[in-house]
Amino acid sequence: MTAGTTDLWTLAVIVGLAVVTVVARSFFFISSKPWSLPHWAQRGLQYAPIAALSAVVLPEVVMVQGQLVGTWADARLFAAAAGALAYFWRRDVLLTILVGMAVYLPLHLGWGW
């Protein structure tokens, strides 16, 4: 295959993935019958956003190059703690971000943590 050209197999894969995506995302709209999730599934889905966010953010805070942070001289630890305290104090996402960054930037840029 030369640069700048797309072969038939690649196009078929792109179209196939698009079809699978559209069908998967519209699966719940295809049925004309009303349906509801069981209670246990609804309860479980309430925790999905916090679980997904934790799975993304927590490793970024406590790990470096696949290893746990071995020192307290890491600005991310203090920024995350300050952000968590701000959140529990006011329950405001914007304030959480601002407090976390207000702690992170001076420690990271000023002290090199």
Side-chain angles (χ1 to χ4, degrees):
M1 186 167 82
T2 60
T5 63
T6 304
D7 63 354
L8 190 58
W9 175 251
T10 302
L11 287 175
V13 168
I14 291 171
V15 170
L17 289 173
V19 168
V20 168
T21 300
V22 168
V23 169
R25 291 183 179 231
S26 64
F27 179 76
F28 300 107
F29 300 113
I30 293 173
S31 175
S32 62
K33 297 188 317 186
W35 62 278
S36 63
L37 291 172
H39 180 69
W40 59 267
Q42 290 179 357
R43 184 168 168 83
L45 286 176
Q46 290 175 348
Y47 298 103
I50 190 68
L53 188 61
S54 298
V56 171
V57 172
L58 194 60
E60 287 296 320
V61 172
V62 299
M63 297 183 83
V64 175
Q65 303 289 329
Q67 302 291 325
L68 286 176
V69 173
T71 177
W72 286 103
D74 193 320
R76 297 173 302 168
L77 299 174
F78 293 99
L85 288 175
Y87 177 77
F88 288 117
W89 177 46
R90 291 289 187 170
R91 304 272 183 197
D92 186 354
V93 174
L94 180 60
L95 181 67
T96 302
I97 293 170
L98 291 175
V99 168
M101 291 306 292
V103 171
Y104 176 80
L105 286 177
L107 292 176
H108 185 68
L109 297 176
W111 290 0
W113 285 10

